[in-house]
Amino acid sequence: MTAKFGVLGPLQVSGHDGRLLRLRGDRQRSLLAMLLFHANQRVPTERLVDALWPEIPPKSYASNLHTYVSRLRERLDGTEIDHAGPGYRLRVADGDLDLLTFRAASRLGRQALRDGAPEAAAVLLRQALAQWRDRPLADLAIPALDAEVARLETERLTVFEDCVEAELAAGRHAELLGELQAAVAEHPLRERLVGQLMRALSGAGRQADALTVYRTARDTLIEETGLEPGAELRAVHAEILRGDEWPIRQLPADLRGFTGRDDVVDELTTLLTEPDCPPLVLTGEPGAGKSTLAIHVAHRLAGAFPDGQLYAHLSGATAPRPTGDVLVDLLRSLGVTGPGIPDDTQAKAAVLRSRLADRRVLLVLDDAADPTQVGPLLPGTPCSKVLVTSRRRLTGLLDAHRVTVGSLTDREAVDLLAKVAGPRVAADPDGARRIAAACGNLPLALRIAGTRLALRPQLRLATLADRLADERNRLDELSVSDLQVRSSLALSYDALSRPARATLRLLGVAAVPNLPAWAITVLRHGVAEENAVDELIESSLVQPAGTDPCGEPRYEVHDLVMMFARERLLAEDGTASAGHEADRLLDAVLAMADLAGRDLPAVFPSVDGDLPLPEPPLPADTLARYGADPVRWFAVERAQVVAGIGRVARFGRHRVAARVLERIARYLWPRGAYADLRTCVEAIVAGARDAGDLRVEVWAEAVYARLLHVRGHYADAVAKYRWCEARLGADPALPWVLTNLADCLTGLGVPEEALALTDRAAGLSTSDSVAAARSAALNRLGRPAESVRVDTGALAVARESAEPYAVARALQSLSWSLALTGELDRAAAAAEEAVALLRETTARSALARSLRTLGAVQAGRGERVRALAAFAECRAIAEQISEAPRVLTCRRALAAGMIGDGRVAEAVAELHACLAAYRAMGSTSSEAVTLWLLAAAYDARGDGAAAEKARAEAGHIADPRDANARALASLLLNLTRVPGPSLPAPEALSQLP
């Protein structure tokens, strides 16, 4: 049974059928009253004892109290009364206790009133008041609750006043008169009630009666307290005497279809309803929607400012209005005319402050130019609040609270586009996302793009997205009627000083939106120009982005601002100057990347050979700071360098882009950042091809082939490797391409050609990668003893270098060769050392490879749990860095473990999925291993025919010389058994069909 309770009147309990339940005894009822008054809270035992025995409790009070609680539980079957520490707690839902319902509805009603919804607020507050039947617990005498009952009655009166406030705001003056007159008669010293009655009478056309109420209240106050009425009541009296027509509503219309910015709207709403809210300044780049946001928030808060909203457009971005003229307009709005408006600006400001004193008004000052324009317009009392918008930060406006209005989120941007352009946006989500991205999620640009789509129903979203993708014409496309992104930006640009304009133009050289301070110094030819940068920040054209982990200040520039800056650079300084500045910055980036990558292992062949490198154009202390932790520099600049390479490679600077890529790849490759590398490579290939630069094109295509290779696209990788091989001639990159081609062919089951390629590569290079590729080919040819010799020699060379990555790579290759010869203990030791070394590095791809080898070796040694853990960790890493082949090998191994666990159905499904992937990849060796494991799964399921068919197919496609595949299958088959035996000897491999 779910009971409902009432304490706002005589204590009342009713069952689920609505029938009242009667409780016996005052103590049982007092106990329930105490628990209900503090519902869902622990009531200490001593408080309950005081309530039940106000005089002297009996010695057995503890057992008596326990008895009362037990009887109450029995009587209220279904109601939870739990023992909470030294006390008890009754759990009840808001809707099942009138006190909780009252407070919940009051809270919602007050929030609705603050949000500018007086009608909704009145409904909720009336619901709250309807919970009251009489004085709380009118039928019980509980001295322990007297103070709380008194506070609750005061709370009810305050809620009643809030309800009256909402209904007055909704225009229900006449309807409230009877209720207010009764309330004032009962509480004649409650000045807020008196003021509300006066306002209701005045609103009903009974000004004389309102003034009589004031005189009566004043006499009562003086007689009872010796005090004059307070400022708020006097202000109501003065308002009625003047015949002022409040509230004043001057806001422009709220924008239809306003969307997004929920967090900022909530923040502003909360701030503006706090008692001591300072002036709020909305600042942000041109087109961010500051004015729209301010007007939307002001409309939302209409109910919180019953005396109205004043609005003044200050024209700060075009021709700032004189403060005196703005004051005249505001004073006239407030009913001050003729001689009442002084000539002096400061005197006008004083009259404004006087008129707004004790008023609850929201003053919206839109598009402010500077602090001096705003200062005289501020009210003098905290009752009224101020919301300012400006492209400038107005740092000189003391005590102001600033809120930066930036771009929309991706979701908000698409929503806004749909609001403007209509339902067809939903039909092309990809086109919508591309348009939003090209607009930089800037509201002005999105509205322009949406308006173009709305005006031209035949214009496809994809077509507009393609047009906007061309950065050179993007600002032209973002124009419709009198709405133009370019014009909006030009207003801020024209207001800058000459050094600030020059600095902004130079920022147009940069290809990325996030810049370190050193890049600006380079562009300014070593001159820091802090004042110019500060001015750009003040104008919201540049945003400070904190200090990066290298200790360098950073700045953000919106994409559209960057494009505008580039336009002005070309128009005012010329193409030659723009190109010269671009070269300076690119040389600086190359020098910094070389400095940071100098001591990291190279992963791609050099693209610049012996070409000289520029000196880093930075102060010695900056270089020392970066040199102390070069990897951190790459981590900080990674996103910016990748984006920059992608852009400059397409604009005639593909060679320097390739040189930078070769350096940053030393950081990206070990971390498996293949997506970043592909972005760069694709841009360099396109740029080199457009320029007819075959050498850089071939170099970039070879890198692209390596990315395809590592992600398991073997056939495509081989095609690119062969294309590059045919065009490299005697290029130093040839052995690297030959080695990778050999490795790829080994994976595809062509080890003879792979071995021949490693012979050619070995004649041109002593790289350890040649040895690893040669070892892999020999293993596929069934010559693991030779592989061990190759790997042992490579390990000796690597140990001399003392480079952990090189040593680990050689150990991993040796470990697998040893496993193929049956030396599992030595193989395990080598693999474990490789894993330990790589855990101290950031080489995630190499770590995954070594974990895979270790897992296979541990499976052969019967270390089932450790093997599966190694495969699981390897899979997690490979999935993070998108190495599909390695993910597949781990999935296959873990499926073998499922067979051993008895999860045969899951194993069969997973192995079939792996088999399909290997067939698509073209790796027959991996197909054969998977089929052998699948046969074991069928055996475990009792399906001998399917098992025999799988083994026959594996035997048909497997290369009889491929010791690699047979050994791996033998090792993994151990995972299908619990416990799995160790691999006894190399000859055991021959027992596989």
Side-chain angles (χ1 to χ4, degrees):
M1 178 193 75
T2 300
K4 288 185 175 293
F5 303 96
V7 295
L8 301 180
L11 179 66
Q12 184 173 291
V13 184
S14 60
H16 67 286
D17 56 1
R19 294 184 180 181
L20 294 178
L21 301 178
R22 299 191 179 279
L23 300 177
R24 299 186 183 89
D26 285 347
R27 287 202 173 92
Q28 190 175 52
R29 296 170 69 234
S30 295
L31 172 62
L32 177 60
M34 284 291 292
L35 294 173
L36 290 172
F37 236 75
H38 306 92
N40 303 313
Q41 303 174 44
R42 180 182 67 86
V43 185
T45 299
E46 59 268 23
R47 290 208 62 193
L48 295 174
V49 171
D50 288 344
L52 270 60
W53 296 281
E55 302 298 334
I56 300 174
K59 294 182 180 179
S60 59
Y61 70 84
S63 62
N64 290 355
L65 177 60
H66 179 73
T67 300
Y68 288 134
V69 171
S70 298
R71 289 175 180 173
L72 202 55
R73 287 182 180 133
E74 293 172 2
R75 189 73 176 110
L76 303 175
D77 184 29
T79 298
E80 185 178 351
I81 304 175
D82 55 32
H83 194 277
Y88 294 90
R89 172 174 50 219
L90 185 148
R91 298 185 182 275
V92 62
D94 285 358
D96 291 337
L97 174 60
D98 56 7
L99 175 57
L100 296 181
T101 303
F102 164 71
R103 284 178 168 154
S106 299
R107 183 172 59 254
L108 292 173
R110 285 165 168 162
Q111 184 60 52
L113 187 59
R114 286 194 295 270
D115 290 345
E119 296 278 359
V123 170
L124 289 164
L125 293 169
R126 284 292 177 188
Q127 289 176 358
L129 294 169
Q131 303 301 312
W132 286 70
R133 295 170 284 116
D134 198 344
R135 184 178 62 83
L137 302 176
D139 59 338
L140 286 172
I142 307 178
L145 285 178
D146 285 349
E148 293 182 62
V149 167
R151 283 195 296 271
L152 186 56
E153 289 183 309
T154 301
E155 185 179 342
R156 175 190 178 279
L157 188 55
T158 302
V159 171
F160 172 73
E161 291 171 341
D162 291 338
C163 182
V164 170
E165 199 68 45
E167 295 188 332
L168 285 173
R172 299 173 188 157
H173 299 82
E175 295 94 321
L176 288 167
L177 288 176
E179 197 172 12
L180 276 171
Q181 286 167 336
V184 169
E186 186 177 356
H187 304 282
L189 301 181
R190 190 103 176 166
E191 294 189 33
R192 187 184 182 195
L193 276 176
V194 172
Q196 288 176 330
L197 175 58
M198 292 170 63
R199 287 164 55 201
L201 288 166
S202 178
R206 297 169 57 182
Q207 283 82 358
D209 290 340
L211 296 174
T212 299
V213 168
Y214 177 78
R215 287 193 295 271
T216 301
R218 179 176 180 273
D219 291 343
T220 302
L221 281 165
I222 292 173
E223 181 178 346
E224 296 287 337
T225 68
L227 299 173
E228 288 280 350
E232 184 175 349
L233 188 56
R234 293 200 309 272
V236 175
H237 180 237
E239 173 187 326
I240 295 171
L241 284 173
R242 289 194 304 264
D244 292 346
E245 296 192 10
W246 298 85
I248 298 169
R249 308 291 189 193
Q250 290 189 328
L251 291 177
D254 196 3
L255 184 67
R256 289 181 59 192
F258 182 92
T259 187
R261 304 207 185 279
D262 293 341
D263 291 345
V264 181
V265 169
D266 290 344
E267 177 187 3
L268 295 173
T269 299
T270 300
L271 289 170
L272 286 168
T273 51
E274 290 179 351
D276 299 319
C277 176
L280 297 185
V281 178
L282 300 187
T283 183
E285 58 210 352
K290 301 178 290 295
S291 298
T292 301
L293 174 62
I295 292 167
H296 176 73
V297 170
H299 275 285
R300 182 176 176 179
L301 287 171
F305 296 95
D307 295 320
Q309 297 93 29
L310 294 171
Y311 175 84
H313 194 282
L314 306 185
S315 304
T318 51
R321 295 183 62 200
T323 303
D325 293 352
V326 179
L327 283 166
V328 168
D329 288 348
L330 291 173
L331 290 175
R332 285 174 177 165
S333 301
L334 295 172
V336 183
T337 60
I341 300 178
D343 294 330
D344 180 69
T345 297
Q346 295 303 320
K348 291 186 183 81
V351 175
L352 177 68
R353 292 193 293 271
S354 175
R355 294 290 285 172
L356 294 180
D358 302 319
R359 290 285 182 190
R360 293 167 66 188
V361 169
L362 177 60
L363 176 57
V364 179
L365 303 174
D366 196 9
D367 192 19
D370 53 50
T372 60
Q373 187 189 32
V374 173
L377 305 176
L378 301 180
T381 59
C383 299
S384 293
K385 306 296 191 295
V386 182
L387 185 57
V388 186
T389 75
S390 179
R391 296 185 179 205
R392 304 182 68 83
R393 293 173 59 83
L394 304 185
T395 51
L397 194 62
L398 300 180
D399 298 327
H401 179 88
R402 288 163 188 82
V403 176
T404 300
V405 182
S407 299
L408 299 173
T409 66
D410 292 345
R411 181 187 59 79
E412 291 172 341
V414 172
D415 288 348
L416 176 56
L417 191 66
K419 291 273 188 182
V420 180
R424 64 193 176 113
V425 169
D428 186 0
D430 181 65
R433 284 191 293 270
R434 290 171 57 207
I435 291 171
C439 292
N441 291 357
L442 197 68
L444 173 61
L446 288 163
R447 289 194 177 278
I448 292 172
T451 302
R452 290 193 63 186
L453 291 168
L455 293 174
R456 298 179 60 188
Q458 75 282 7
L459 179 60
R460 297 171 56 245
L461 270 74
T463 302
L464 180 57
D466 290 341
R467 293 177 182 175
L468 292 172
D470 185 350
E471 295 180 358
R472 292 165 293 189
N473 299 320
R474 189 176 299 174
L475 293 179
D476 292 327
E477 294 290 338
L478 292 175
S479 172
V480 60
S481 186
D482 60 342
L483 287 177
Q484 294 184 351
V485 171
R486 181 184 285 112
S487 298
S488 178
L489 293 168
L491 291 174
S492 293
Y493 177 75
D494 292 341
L496 297 172
S497 66
R498 175 181 283 181
R501 287 199 300 270
T503 301
L504 183 66
R505 292 198 302 275
L506 288 171
L507 294 184
V509 168
V512 292
N514 185 290
L515 291 169
W518 64 260
I520 300 177
T521 302
V522 169
L523 289 168
R524 294 293 305 179
H525 294 241
V527 179
E529 284 290 358
E530 287 90 352
N531 292 339
V533 174
D534 288 345
E535 187 176 348
L536 293 175
I537 293 171
E538 180 70 19
S539 299
S540 298
L541 292 168
V542 170
Q543 299 291 336
T547 300
D548 64 32
C550 291
E552 189 77 1
R554 301 191 75 85
Y555 304 96
E556 289 183 348
V557 188
H558 194 279
D559 282 348
L560 296 178
V561 176
M562 190 76 77
M563 290 172 199
F564 175 82
R566 193 175 303 130
E567 272 192 1
R568 300 316 311 156
L569 177 69
L570 294 171
E572 298 183 35
D573 301 292
T575 304
S577 177
H580 175 69
E581 298 301 338
D583 288 339
R584 278 181 54 80
L585 184 58
L586 286 172
D587 283 348
V589 173
L590 174 58
M592 294 299 298
D594 184 73
L595 176 68
R598 197 169 292 168
D599 295 328
L600 299 179
V603 293
F604 301 146
S606 173
V607 69
D608 50 20
D610 297 327
L611 288 177
L613 283 164
E615 287 296 322
L618 296 175
D621 60 332
T622 303
L623 294 176
R625 178 157 36 91
Y626 289 142
D629 192 351
V631 172
R632 180 174 291 178
W633 185 86
F634 277 131
V636 167
E637 299 296 348
R638 168 181 172 172
Q640 311 310 318
V641 172
V642 169
I645 287 173
R647 289 189 178 183
V648 302
R650 291 185 172 90
F651 289 98
R653 290 176 171 78
H654 60 279
R655 274 191 169 262
V656 69
R659 297 177 78 186
V660 174
L661 174 61
E662 192 272 314
R663 270 77 178 178
I664 195 173
R666 304 175 190 186
Y667 171 82
L668 296 175
W669 184 270
R671 289 160 178 77
Y674 305 132
D676 282 353
L677 289 165
R678 178 170 180 168
T679 296
C680 297
V681 169
E682 287 178 337
I684 293 169
V685 167
R689 188 174 297 147
D690 290 344
D693 189 339
L694 182 61
R695 185 185 183 283
V696 173
E697 182 185 356
V698 173
W699 179 88
E701 287 283 21
V703 173
Y704 200 163
R706 185 72 181 107
L707 292 171
L708 292 170
H709 182 173
V710 77
R711 287 191 161 182
H713 304 292
Y714 291 160
D716 292 337
V718 165
K720 278 195 182 293
Y721 283 139
R722 293 196 190 281
W723 184 89
C724 295
E725 178 195 2
R727 289 161 177 80
L728 278 172
D731 192 284
L734 179 61
W736 184 78
V737 170
L738 294 174
T739 301
N740 288 326
L741 176 56
D743 193 50
C744 202
L745 288 171
T746 297
L748 287 172
V750 192
E752 298 91 347
E753 184 181 357
L755 189 61
L757 288 169
T758 62
D759 287 339
R760 287 179 59 194
L764 300 169
S765 170
T766 58
S767 169
D768 61 341
S769 60
V770 177
R774 185 173 183 81
S775 172
L778 287 168
N779 284 333
R780 287 293 173 94
L781 289 168
R783 296 154 62 180
E786 294 179 56
S787 297
V788 170
R789 287 195 293 274
V790 171
D791 291 326
T792 302
L795 178 59
V797 173
R799 290 201 188 278
E800 288 181 7
S801 73
E803 167 54 47
Y805 178 80
V807 173
R809 178 171 178 168
L811 282 166
Q812 182 273 325
S813 185
L814 175 61
S815 173
W816 186 240
S817 297
L818 288 168
L820 299 190
T821 64
E823 297 185 68
L824 293 184
D825 291 342
R826 288 183 61 198
E832 287 169 353
E833 184 182 354
V835 168
L837 284 170
L838 291 168
R839 288 198 189 281
E840 301 300 317
T841 73
T842 56
R844 300 168 71 204
S845 177
L847 175 59
R849 178 190 290 265
S850 294
L851 282 166
R852 181 188 62 179
T853 301
L854 178 60
V857 172
Q858 288 171 332
R861 284 159 55 91
E863 298 171 345
R864 173 186 173 79
V865 174
R866 296 179 65 194
L868 292 175
F871 281 121
E873 184 180 359
C874 174
R875 175 179 177 173
I877 297 172
E879 285 177 336
Q880 290 170 358
I881 60 179
S882 301
E883 286 191 353
R886 209 152 288 156
V887 172
L888 276 175
T889 58
C890 293
R891 287 176 60 188
R892 183 176 61 191
L894 294 171
M898 293 177 192
I899 300 171
D901 291 340
R903 296 154 56 197
V904 179
E906 291 179 63
V908 169
E910 184 72 341
L911 289 169
H912 271 296
C914 293
L915 187 61
Y918 281 128
R919 283 172 175 161
M921 195 180 291
S923 178
T924 55
S925 173
S926 297
E927 284 184 63
V929 174
T930 309
L931 284 164
W932 278 319
L933 292 177
L934 194 56
Y938 286 137
D939 283 336
R941 197 169 70 179
D943 191 344
E948 186 58 34
K949 181 180 178 182
R951 287 193 183 92
E953 185 180 355
H956 176 70
I957 65 174
D959 185 339
R961 302 166 301 173
D962 188 356
N964 195 76
R966 294 174 182 276
L968 179 58
S970 179
L971 296 171
L972 294 181
L973 282 170
N974 287 339
L975 296 175
T976 69
R977 312 180 187 98
V978 183
S982 298
L983 191 66
E987 55 269 20
L989 304 179
S990 62
Q991 297 175 7
L992 282 171

